[in-house]
Amino acid sequence: MSTAEIIQREVLAEQVLHDTFGYQQFRPGQQAIIHAVLSGRDCLVVMPTGGGKSLCYQIPALVMDGLTLVVSPLISLMKDQVDQLLANGVAAACLNSTQSREQQYEVMAACRAGRIKMLYIAPERLMMDNMLEQLQQWRLAMIAVDEAHCISQWGHDFRPEYRALGQIKRHFTTLPFLALTATADEATRQDILRLLDLRDPLVQLSSFDRPNIRYTLVEKYKPFEQLWHFVQGQRGKSGIIYCNSRSRVEDLSARLQSRGVSVAAYHAGLENARRAQVQEAFQRDDLQVVVATVAFGMGINKPNVRFVLHFDIPRTIESYYQETGRAGRDGLPAEAILLYDQADMAWLRRCLEEKPIGQQQDIERHKLNAMGAFAEAQTCRRLVLLNYFGEGRQMACGNCGNCGNCGNCGNCDICLDPPKRYDGLEEARKALSCIYRVGQRFGMAYVVEVLRGANSQRIRENAHDRLPVYGIGRERSNEHWISLLRQLIHLGLVSQNITQHSVLQLTESARPVLRGEVDLMLAEPRVTNLKTRSAPKTYGGNYDRPLFAKLRKLRKALADEANVPPYVVFNDATLLEMAEQLPTDSGQMLRVNGVGNRKLERFGLPFLALIREHLSDEGSRPTLR
């Protein structure tokens, strides 16, 4: 493809961004990905939930000739994406088991005839023999694999059927392949590249940071009352409450409902029709809260979820990150609350020990231990998450301008209520030196044993009792050194290698600490007390709040009339911009992010009329509040 053709495609891509999707500019990373796809290059895209992954294949799909195939693991996720594309005037469809044979034939005929631009399909159906024959008859432009972490055994949601997708790549070697996920550490990313056989790919790692989400951990004391007080303060806001068992889901849902909360239960034990009913009611804002197991969520594309509360600790950081990421997809302030009890961790560990011994059990143990370390962290929650996913980052507190060690994000419980700190440089040097001296080949428990001078057979067999670091930390407790090592991991100075049984290894950032060239303040272990939580950050814009309430009410009415979820009409962020910019004609309305030509044509007039009426009632343009 010539340079001129690529440039022409990129001009069309910007036009599609504005006219079809209604956005004024690309988000970070999107333009580079779209350029690579339009140039025919494979891509691996790791972008947080709500970061704009879908547009990375949807825009090229509308620019390129032919059909884009989107592999998606959940029927609900397919339906949601197709509904939103249809609302934007895009010819999209899905192929799944909920359709009759006649409906499936109609979709496939439309694909053969070139009337469909994007087809969503599950990996199981794609790998059926007759589907491969069908694909040969279609004019394919690109294949996008969503939730690509499912292909890897290191991923938190491994699905064997994803492994077969590499065969598709071998059948269509000239097509660009786009693998997308929100949660993939280094081991998972390498598995995706290898198993999908991506060639000379662009690997786009966007920041995992979700600054609009406040991360808060609270020690369980009277858990239901804690939950109830929190939900009381969230009246009118959409939220998800996650539990680890079906019985707890049913119990909490019933108790909240008895206190007047608009709530329903969701878990895999319910009938399919009931689960679909709950999900649709939640999507349409007819239901405020869903209490659920992990069975609920991957297909939820609802942008205005304002809180996610974990009543029980998740099994992995990937699950926690993905589940909390369902809050605040619109970029507006949201909350992630985790109620923590060490007894819950003990129960999860007992469940894990009942599984077959082997590599998969080792992987799950590593991930569970990382989640426990997150819960007991004395370091900024956001920093722990970012370093876990390999995004080595240190955040300055903003007071000194060059701190780097405090890791203060200003929007998590650790940063808002900091633990006591002490000069931990010398102790950190002891721990880092010990990791290095034992060859970076051992896990946390062993390193602590060496530091404390344990008289174990394993240490003697490895001759580590002769090392200069042996016993240099015996004056401190086992718990103290575990806390310190976790902090070094969370600060990005040490990594745990999941592919080598969670051995501790030094990162490049450890060098200046080992040499004593920097200051290092560490946190003293503490027990988290229940405290009155400050109010979360609010939307920083200057907007007309009464108008925003009217716009939401109008949106709900139009959505019910069109039989779609409210956010398919416009999401909250778009309504906030309307209440801020106060557009009164079509030209002004098109400058609002999220308003494209098709949505203006379909929904614009009622919103413009409402804004004009509101301004008229006020007598003039009101003072924004």
Side-chain angles (χ1 to χ4, degrees), residues 469-500:
V469 293
Y470 178 72
I472 60 172
R474 56 168 50 94
E475 75 284 355
R476 290 291 199 175
S477 68
N478 182 81
E479 291 74 22
H480 178 87
W481 284 114
I482 291 290
S483 172
L484 183 140
L485 285 168
R486 284 174 174 167
Q487 290 185 64
L488 298 184
I489 292 168
H490 298 157
L491 288 169
L493 305 178
V494 176
S495 65
Q496 284 182 294
N497 192 329
I498 187 176
T499 66
Q500 296 181 28

PDB file of all heavy atoms in Angstrom, residues 469-500:
ATOM      1  N   VAL A 469      24.796 -11.800  54.008  1.00  0.00           N
ATOM      2  CA  VAL A 469      23.470 -11.252  54.347  1.00  0.00           C
ATOM      3  C   VAL A 469      22.705 -12.172  55.295  1.00  0.00           C
ATOM      4  O   VAL A 469      21.623 -11.807  55.769  1.00  0.00           O
ATOM      5  CB  VAL A 469      22.622 -11.025  53.056  1.00  0.00           C
ATOM      6  CG1 VAL A 469      23.219  -9.935  52.204  1.00  0.00           C
ATOM      7  CG2 VAL A 469      22.462 -12.324  52.260  1.00  0.00           C
ATOM      8  N   TYR A 470      23.253 -13.356  55.570  1.00  0.00           N
ATOM      9  CA  TYR A 470      22.547 -14.316  56.424  1.00  0.00           C
ATOM     10  C   TYR A 470      22.418 -13.767  57.845  1.00  0.00           C
ATOM     11  O   TYR A 470      23.400 -13.436  58.499  1.00  0.00           O
ATOM     12  CB  TYR A 470      23.301 -15.652  56.443  1.00  0.00           C
ATOM     13  CG  TYR A 470      22.671 -16.708  57.329  1.00  0.00           C
ATOM     14  CD1 TYR A 470      21.498 -17.335  56.963  1.00  0.00           C
ATOM     15  CD2 TYR A 470      23.264 -17.055  58.541  1.00  0.00           C
ATOM     16  CE1 TYR A 470      20.922 -18.311  57.764  1.00  0.00           C
ATOM     17  CE2 TYR A 470      22.708 -18.024  59.363  1.00  0.00           C
ATOM     18  CZ  TYR A 470      21.523 -18.643  58.974  1.00  0.00           C
ATOM     19  OH  TYR A 470      20.955 -19.602  59.784  1.00  0.00           O
ATOM     20  N   GLY A 471      21.162 -13.604  58.288  1.00  0.00           N
ATOM     21  CA  GLY A 471      20.892 -13.179  59.652  1.00  0.00           C
ATOM     22  C   GLY A 471      21.021 -11.696  59.908  1.00  0.00           C
ATOM     23  O   GLY A 471      20.906 -11.263  61.060  1.00  0.00           O
ATOM     24  N   ILE A 472      21.226 -10.866  58.867  1.00  0.00           N
ATOM     25  CA  ILE A 472      21.411  -9.425  59.121  1.00  0.00           C
ATOM     26  C   ILE A 472      20.103  -8.735  59.488  1.00  0.00           C
ATOM     27  O   ILE A 472      20.108  -7.563  59.865  1.00  0.00           O
ATOM     28  CB  ILE A 472      22.037  -8.706  57.900  1.00  0.00           C
ATOM     29  CG1 ILE A 472      21.142  -8.857  56.657  1.00  0.00           C
ATOM     30  CG2 ILE A 472      23.433  -9.212  57.610  1.00  0.00           C
ATOM     31  CD1 ILE A 472      21.603  -8.022  55.469  1.00  0.00           C
ATOM     32  N   GLY A 473      18.988  -9.446  59.420  1.00  0.00           N
ATOM     33  CA  GLY A 473      17.697  -8.833  59.769  1.00  0.00           C
ATOM     34  C   GLY A 473      16.994  -9.561  60.883  1.00  0.00           C
ATOM     35  O   GLY A 473      15.778  -9.455  61.038  1.00  0.00           O
ATOM     36  N   ARG A 474      17.762 -10.278  61.736  1.00  0.00           N
ATOM     37  CA  ARG A 474      17.109 -11.100  62.762  1.00  0.00           C
ATOM     38  C   ARG A 474      16.443 -10.269  63.851  1.00  0.00           C
ATOM     39  O   ARG A 474      15.584 -10.776  64.576  1.00  0.00           O
ATOM     40  CB  ARG A 474      18.112 -12.077  63.385  1.00  0.00           C
ATOM     41  CG  ARG A 474      19.340 -11.452  63.984  1.00  0.00           C
ATOM     42  CD  ARG A 474      20.119 -12.485  64.820  1.00  0.00           C
ATOM     43  NE  ARG A 474      20.362 -13.723  64.119  1.00  0.00           N
ATOM     44  CZ  ARG A 474      21.473 -14.012  63.431  1.00  0.00           C
ATOM     45  NH1 ARG A 474      22.427 -13.093  63.324  1.00  0.00           N
ATOM     46  NH2 ARG A 474      21.622 -15.174  62.855  1.00  0.00           N
ATOM     47  N   GLU A 475      16.796  -8.981  63.961  1.00  0.00           N
ATOM     48  CA  GLU A 475      16.175  -8.153  65.010  1.00  0.00           C
ATOM     49  C   GLU A 475      14.750  -7.748  64.661  1.00  0.00           C
ATOM     50  O   GLU A 475      14.004  -7.263  65.508  1.00  0.00           O
ATOM     51  CB  GLU A 475      17.026  -6.896  65.264  1.00  0.00           C
ATOM     52  CG  GLU A 475      16.938  -5.811  64.206  1.00  0.00           C
ATOM     53  CD  GLU A 475      17.706  -6.112  62.924  1.00  0.00           C
ATOM     54  OE1 GLU A 475      18.407  -7.155  62.891  1.00  0.00           O
ATOM     55  OE2 GLU A 475      17.623  -5.312  61.981  1.00  0.00           O
ATOM     56  N   ARG A 476      14.360  -7.937  63.394  1.00  0.00           N
ATOM     57  CA  ARG A 476      13.004  -7.609  62.957  1.00  0.00           C
ATOM     58  C   ARG A 476      12.173  -8.885  62.792  1.00  0.00           C
ATOM     59  O   ARG A 476      12.706  -9.960  62.489  1.00  0.00           O
ATOM     60  CB  ARG A 476      13.041  -6.866  61.619  1.00  0.00           C
ATOM     61  CG  ARG A 476      13.592  -5.453  61.694  1.00  0.00           C
ATOM     62  CD  ARG A 476      12.657  -4.521  62.428  1.00  0.00           C
ATOM     63  NE  ARG A 476      12.927  -3.119  62.126  1.00  0.00           N
ATOM     64  CZ  ARG A 476      12.187  -2.114  62.578  1.00  0.00           C
ATOM     65  NH1 ARG A 476      11.144  -2.361  63.364  1.00  0.00           N
ATOM     66  NH2 ARG A 476      12.481  -0.866  62.264  1.00  0.00           N
ATOM     67  N   SER A 477      10.853  -8.748  62.960  1.00  0.00           N
ATOM     68  CA  SER A 477       9.961  -9.911  62.881  1.00  0.00           C
ATOM     69  C   SER A 477       9.752 -10.372  61.447  1.00  0.00           C
ATOM     70  O   SER A 477      10.030  -9.635  60.488  1.00  0.00           O
ATOM     71  CB  SER A 477       8.597  -9.562  63.493  1.00  0.00           C
ATOM     72  OG  SER A 477       7.929  -8.612  62.671  1.00  0.00           O
ATOM     73  N   ASN A 478       9.245 -11.577  61.323  1.00  0.00           N
ATOM     74  CA  ASN A 478       8.898 -12.121  60.007  1.00  0.00           C
ATOM     75  C   ASN A 478       7.895 -11.211  59.307  1.00  0.00           C
ATOM     76  O   ASN A 478       8.031 -10.903  58.114  1.00  0.00           O
ATOM     77  CB  ASN A 478       8.319 -13.530  60.180  1.00  0.00           C
ATOM     78  CG  ASN A 478       7.985 -14.183  58.847  1.00  0.00           C
ATOM     79  OD1 ASN A 478       8.857 -14.708  58.173  1.00  0.00           O
ATOM     80  ND2 ASN A 478       6.715 -14.174  58.483  1.00  0.00           N
ATOM     81  N   GLU A 479       6.880 -10.750  60.070  1.00  0.00           N
ATOM     82  CA  GLU A 479       5.832  -9.894  59.484  1.00  0.00           C
ATOM     83  C   GLU A 479       6.409  -8.571  58.988  1.00  0.00           C
ATOM     84  O   GLU A 479       5.976  -8.043  57.970  1.00  0.00           O
ATOM     85  CB  GLU A 479       4.735  -9.623  60.532  1.00  0.00           C
ATOM     86  CG  GLU A 479       3.887 -10.831  60.898  1.00  0.00           C
ATOM     87  CD  GLU A 479       4.629 -11.835  61.774  1.00  0.00           C
ATOM     88  OE1 GLU A 479       5.623 -11.434  62.436  1.00  0.00           O
ATOM     89  OE2 GLU A 479       4.222 -13.011  61.767  1.00  0.00           O
ATOM     90  N   HIS A 480       7.396  -8.055  59.722  1.00  0.00           N
ATOM     91  CA  HIS A 480       8.014  -6.790  59.327  1.00  0.00           C
ATOM     92  C   HIS A 480       8.693  -6.929  57.955  1.00  0.00           C
ATOM     93  O   HIS A 480       8.525  -6.073  57.080  1.00  0.00           O
ATOM     94  CB  HIS A 480       9.042  -6.345  60.368  1.00  0.00           C
ATOM     95  CG  HIS A 480       9.750  -5.071  60.005  1.00  0.00           C
ATOM     96  ND1 HIS A 480       9.245  -3.831  60.332  1.00  0.00           N
ATOM     97  CD2 HIS A 480      10.907  -4.840  59.319  1.00  0.00           C
ATOM     98  CE1 HIS A 480      10.060  -2.892  59.863  1.00  0.00           C
ATOM     99  NE2 HIS A 480      11.080  -3.483  59.244  1.00  0.00           N
ATOM    100  N   TRP A 481       9.479  -8.006  57.774  1.00  0.00           N
ATOM    101  CA  TRP A 481      10.189  -8.174  56.509  1.00  0.00           C
ATOM    102  C   TRP A 481       9.230  -8.474  55.358  1.00  0.00           C
ATOM    103  O   TRP A 481       9.447  -8.020  54.227  1.00  0.00           O
ATOM    104  CB  TRP A 481      11.235  -9.291  56.635  1.00  0.00           C
ATOM    105  CG  TRP A 481      12.441  -8.852  57.405  1.00  0.00           C
ATOM    106  CD1 TRP A 481      12.854  -9.315  58.627  1.00  0.00           C
ATOM    107  CD2 TRP A 481      13.380  -7.844  57.023  1.00  0.00           C
ATOM    108  NE1 TRP A 481      13.988  -8.663  59.034  1.00  0.00           N
ATOM    109  CE2 TRP A 481      14.349  -7.756  58.065  1.00  0.00           C
ATOM    110  CE3 TRP A 481      13.512  -7.004  55.918  1.00  0.00           C
ATOM    111  CZ2 TRP A 481      15.415  -6.865  58.018  1.00  0.00           C
ATOM    112  CZ3 TRP A 481      14.581  -6.124  55.866  1.00  0.00           C
ATOM    113  CH2 TRP A 481      15.523  -6.052  56.900  1.00  0.00           C
ATOM    114  N   ILE A 482       8.155  -9.212  55.633  1.00  0.00           N
ATOM    115  CA  ILE A 482       7.154  -9.457  54.581  1.00  0.00           C
ATOM    116  C   ILE A 482       6.547  -8.133  54.135  1.00  0.00           C
ATOM    117  O   ILE A 482       6.393  -7.869  52.932  1.00  0.00           O
ATOM    118  CB  ILE A 482       6.040 -10.407  55.096  1.00  0.00           C
ATOM    119  CG1 ILE A 482       6.595 -11.817  55.304  1.00  0.00           C
ATOM    120  CG2 ILE A 482       4.860 -10.429  54.128  1.00  0.00           C
ATOM    121  CD1 ILE A 482       6.944 -12.554  54.031  1.00  0.00           C
ATOM    122  N   SER A 483       6.193  -7.281  55.114  1.00  0.00           N
ATOM    123  CA  SER A 483       5.626  -5.966  54.787  1.00  0.00           C
ATOM    124  C   SER A 483       6.614  -5.142  53.969  1.00  0.00           C
ATOM    125  O   SER A 483       6.243  -4.505  52.975  1.00  0.00           O
ATOM    126  CB  SER A 483       5.255  -5.218  56.073  1.00  0.00           C
ATOM    127  OG  SER A 483       4.874  -3.873  55.777  1.00  0.00           O
ATOM    128  N   LEU A 484       7.898  -5.167  54.377  1.00  0.00           N
ATOM    129  CA  LEU A 484       8.901  -4.378  53.666  1.00  0.00           C
ATOM    130  C   LEU A 484       9.077  -4.872  52.221  1.00  0.00           C
ATOM    131  O   LEU A 484       9.128  -4.076  51.281  1.00  0.00           O
ATOM    132  CB  LEU A 484      10.235  -4.447  54.414  1.00  0.00           C
ATOM    133  CG  LEU A 484      11.372  -3.609  53.810  1.00  0.00           C
ATOM    134  CD1 LEU A 484      12.173  -2.938  54.917  1.00  0.00           C
ATOM    135  CD2 LEU A 484      12.294  -4.459  52.943  1.00  0.00           C
ATOM    136  N   LEU A 485       9.159  -6.192  52.035  1.00  0.00           N
ATOM    137  CA  LEU A 485       9.327  -6.736  50.684  1.00  0.00           C
ATOM    138  C   LEU A 485       8.124  -6.406  49.801  1.00  0.00           C
ATOM    139  O   LEU A 485       8.270  -6.089  48.619  1.00  0.00           O
ATOM    140  CB  LEU A 485       9.547  -8.245  50.750  1.00  0.00           C
ATOM    141  CG  LEU A 485      10.941  -8.686  51.227  1.00  0.00           C
ATOM    142  CD1 LEU A 485      10.961 -10.182  51.528  1.00  0.00           C
ATOM    143  CD2 LEU A 485      11.994  -8.346  50.168  1.00  0.00           C
ATOM    144  N   ARG A 486       6.936  -6.469  50.384  1.00  0.00           N
ATOM    145  CA  ARG A 486       5.744  -6.104  49.599  1.00  0.00           C
ATOM    146  C   ARG A 486       5.815  -4.646  49.166  1.00  0.00           C
ATOM    147  O   ARG A 486       5.445  -4.301  48.039  1.00  0.00           O
ATOM    148  CB  ARG A 486       4.485  -6.362  50.433  1.00  0.00           C
ATOM    149  CG  ARG A 486       4.112  -7.831  50.521  1.00  0.00           C
ATOM    150  CD  ARG A 486       2.956  -8.064  51.471  1.00  0.00           C
ATOM    151  NE  ARG A 486       2.514  -9.452  51.434  1.00  0.00           N
ATOM    152  CZ  ARG A 486       1.701  -9.991  52.330  1.00  0.00           C
ATOM    153  NH1 ARG A 486       1.245  -9.249  53.345  1.00  0.00           N
ATOM    154  NH2 ARG A 486       1.336 -11.249  52.234  1.00  0.00           N
ATOM    155  N   GLN A 487       6.279  -3.789  50.068  1.00  0.00           N
ATOM    156  CA  GLN A 487       6.397  -2.374  49.692  1.00  0.00           C
ATOM    157  C   GLN A 487       7.412  -2.183  48.571  1.00  0.00           C
ATOM    158  O   GLN A 487       7.199  -1.391  47.658  1.00  0.00           O
ATOM    159  CB  GLN A 487       6.790  -1.541  50.916  1.00  0.00           C
ATOM    160  CG  GLN A 487       5.679  -1.431  51.950  1.00  0.00           C
ATOM    161  CD  GLN A 487       6.055  -0.506  53.089  1.00  0.00           C
ATOM    162  OE1 GLN A 487       6.258   0.697  52.887  1.00  0.00           O
ATOM    163  NE2 GLN A 487       6.155  -1.060  54.298  1.00  0.00           N
ATOM    164  N   LEU A 488       8.523  -2.929  48.623  1.00  0.00           N
ATOM    165  CA  LEU A 488       9.526  -2.821  47.563  1.00  0.00           C
ATOM    166  C   LEU A 488       8.950  -3.296  46.227  1.00  0.00           C
ATOM    167  O   LEU A 488       9.263  -2.737  45.170  1.00  0.00           O
ATOM    168  CB  LEU A 488      10.775  -3.630  47.922  1.00  0.00           C
ATOM    169  CG  LEU A 488      11.532  -3.187  49.180  1.00  0.00           C
ATOM    170  CD1 LEU A 488      12.796  -4.019  49.357  1.00  0.00           C
ATOM    171  CD2 LEU A 488      11.871  -1.699  49.125  1.00  0.00           C
ATOM    172  N   ILE A 489       8.098  -4.322  46.280  1.00  0.00           N
ATOM    173  CA  ILE A 489       7.415  -4.787  45.057  1.00  0.00           C
ATOM    174  C   ILE A 489       6.466  -3.711  44.558  1.00  0.00           C
ATOM    175  O   ILE A 489       6.449  -3.357  43.383  1.00  0.00           O
ATOM    176  CB  ILE A 489       6.657  -6.108  45.333  1.00  0.00           C
ATOM    177  CG1 ILE A 489       7.640  -7.242  45.600  1.00  0.00           C
ATOM    178  CG2 ILE A 489       5.738  -6.457  44.151  1.00  0.00           C
ATOM    179  CD1 ILE A 489       6.992  -8.498  46.151  1.00  0.00           C
ATOM    180  N   HIS A 490       5.679  -3.152  45.477  1.00  0.00           N
ATOM    181  CA  HIS A 490       4.687  -2.147  45.095  1.00  0.00           C
ATOM    182  C   HIS A 490       5.337  -0.866  44.573  1.00  0.00           C
ATOM    183  O   HIS A 490       4.749  -0.155  43.754  1.00  0.00           O
ATOM    184  CB  HIS A 490       3.782  -1.838  46.292  1.00  0.00           C
ATOM    185  CG  HIS A 490       3.001  -3.021  46.757  1.00  0.00           C
ATOM    186  ND1 HIS A 490       2.501  -3.125  48.035  1.00  0.00           N
ATOM    187  CD2 HIS A 490       2.662  -4.170  46.136  1.00  0.00           C
ATOM    188  CE1 HIS A 490       1.866  -4.282  48.171  1.00  0.00           C
ATOM    189  NE2 HIS A 490       1.951  -4.926  47.034  1.00  0.00           N
ATOM    190  N   LEU A 491       6.542  -0.586  45.056  1.00  0.00           N
ATOM    191  CA  LEU A 491       7.259   0.603  44.600  1.00  0.00           C
ATOM    192  C   LEU A 491       8.011   0.363  43.291  1.00  0.00           C
ATOM    193  O   LEU A 491       8.637   1.273  42.757  1.00  0.00           O
ATOM    194  CB  LEU A 491       8.236   1.073  45.680  1.00  0.00           C
ATOM    195  CG  LEU A 491       7.600   1.712  46.918  1.00  0.00           C
ATOM    196  CD1 LEU A 491       8.630   1.878  48.029  1.00  0.00           C
ATOM    197  CD2 LEU A 491       6.968   3.055  46.572  1.00  0.00           C
ATOM    198  N   GLY A 492       7.970  -0.881  42.793  1.00  0.00           N
ATOM    199  CA  GLY A 492       8.613  -1.169  41.517  1.00  0.00           C
ATOM    200  C   GLY A 492      10.098  -1.431  41.620  1.00  0.00           C
ATOM    201  O   GLY A 492      10.801  -1.434  40.600  1.00  0.00           O
ATOM    202  N   LEU A 493      10.609  -1.691  42.834  1.00  0.00           N
ATOM    203  CA  LEU A 493      12.036  -1.979  43.014  1.00  0.00           C
ATOM    204  C   LEU A 493      12.323  -3.478  42.882  1.00  0.00           C
ATOM    205  O   LEU A 493      13.440  -3.882  42.574  1.00  0.00           O
ATOM    206  CB  LEU A 493      12.514  -1.490  44.376  1.00  0.00           C
ATOM    207  CG  LEU A 493      12.259  -0.010  44.688  1.00  0.00           C
ATOM    208  CD1 LEU A 493      12.743   0.327  46.096  1.00  0.00           C
ATOM    209  CD2 LEU A 493      12.924   0.880  43.667  1.00  0.00           C
ATOM    210  N   VAL A 494      11.299  -4.288  43.125  1.00  0.00           N
ATOM    211  CA  VAL A 494      11.402  -5.742  43.056  1.00  0.00           C
ATOM    212  C   VAL A 494      10.203  -6.255  42.266  1.00  0.00           C
ATOM    213  O   VAL A 494       9.109  -5.692  42.356  1.00  0.00           O
ATOM    214  CB  VAL A 494      11.403  -6.373  44.475  1.00  0.00           C
ATOM    215  CG1 VAL A 494      11.408  -7.897  44.404  1.00  0.00           C
ATOM    216  CG2 VAL A 494      12.596  -5.878  45.281  1.00  0.00           C
ATOM    217  N   SER A 495      10.419  -7.318  41.487  1.00  0.00           N
ATOM    218  CA  SER A 495       9.301  -7.948  40.773  1.00  0.00           C
ATOM    219  C   SER A 495       9.206  -9.408  41.196  1.00  0.00           C
ATOM    220  O   SER A 495      10.195 -10.019  41.631  1.00  0.00           O
ATOM    221  CB  SER A 495       9.495  -7.848  39.263  1.00  0.00           C
ATOM    222  OG  SER A 495      10.620  -8.595  38.852  1.00  0.00           O
ATOM    223  N   GLN A 496       7.993  -9.968  41.077  1.00  0.00           N
ATOM    224  CA  GLN A 496       7.775 -11.393  41.311  1.00  0.00           C
ATOM    225  C   GLN A 496       7.536 -12.044  39.959  1.00  0.00           C
ATOM    226  O   GLN A 496       6.580 -11.691  39.257  1.00  0.00           O
ATOM    227  CB  GLN A 496       6.567 -11.618  42.221  1.00  0.00           C
ATOM    228  CG  GLN A 496       6.830 -11.334  43.683  1.00  0.00           C
ATOM    229  CD  GLN A 496       5.602 -11.618  44.535  1.00  0.00           C
ATOM    230  OE1 GLN A 496       4.593 -10.945  44.416  1.00  0.00           O
ATOM    231  NE2 GLN A 496       5.691 -12.609  45.393  1.00  0.00           N
ATOM    232  N   ASN A 497       8.374 -12.987  39.602  1.00  0.00           N
ATOM    233  CA  ASN A 497       8.288 -13.616  38.281  1.00  0.00           C
ATOM    234  C   ASN A 497       7.328 -14.792  38.332  1.00  0.00           C
ATOM    235  O   ASN A 497       7.654 -15.863  38.851  1.00  0.00           O
ATOM    236  CB  ASN A 497       9.679 -14.065  37.828  1.00  0.00           C
ATOM    237  CG  ASN A 497       9.695 -14.458  36.366  1.00  0.00           C
ATOM    238  OD1 ASN A 497       8.702 -14.938  35.830  1.00  0.00           O
ATOM    239  ND2 ASN A 497      10.822 -14.244  35.709  1.00  0.00           N
ATOM    240  N   ILE A 498       6.136 -14.599  37.777  1.00  0.00           N
ATOM    241  CA  ILE A 498       5.103 -15.634  37.828  1.00  0.00           C
ATOM    242  C   ILE A 498       5.507 -16.873  37.056  1.00  0.00           C
ATOM    243  O   ILE A 498       5.093 -17.987  37.369  1.00  0.00           O
ATOM    244  CB  ILE A 498       3.757 -15.070  37.302  1.00  0.00           C
ATOM    245  CG1 ILE A 498       2.632 -16.089  37.501  1.00  0.00           C
ATOM    246  CG2 ILE A 498       3.872 -14.692  35.831  1.00  0.00           C
ATOM    247  CD1 ILE A 498       1.277 -15.579  37.108  1.00  0.00           C
ATOM    248  N   THR A 499       6.325 -16.709  36.019  1.00  0.00           N
ATOM    249  CA  THR A 499       6.724 -17.858  35.191  1.00  0.00           C
ATOM    250  C   THR A 499       7.793 -18.706  35.864  1.00  0.00           C
ATOM    251  O   THR A 499       8.124 -19.778  35.380  1.00  0.00           O
ATOM    252  CB  THR A 499       7.236 -17.390  33.816  1.00  0.00           C
ATOM    253  OG1 THR A 499       8.442 -16.645  33.981  1.00  0.00           O
ATOM    254  CG2 THR A 499       6.208 -16.525  33.114  1.00  0.00           C
ATOM    255  N   GLN A 500       8.348 -18.218  36.994  1.00  0.00           N
ATOM    256  CA  GLN A 500       9.392 -18.964  37.716  1.00  0.00           C
ATOM    257  C   GLN A 500       9.027 -19.097  39.194  1.00  0.00           C
ATOM    258  O   GLN A 500       9.822 -18.825  40.096  1.00  0.00           O
ATOM    259  CB  GLN A 500      10.743 -18.267  37.553  1.00  0.00           C
ATOM    260  CG  GLN A 500      11.253 -18.244  36.116  1.00  0.00           C
ATOM    261  CD  GLN A 500      12.602 -17.561  35.994  1.00  0.00           C
ATOM    262  OE1 GLN A 500      13.401 -17.548  36.925  1.00  0.00           O
ATOM    263  NE2 GLN A 500      12.855 -16.982  34.830  1.00  0.00           N
TER     264      GLN A 500
END
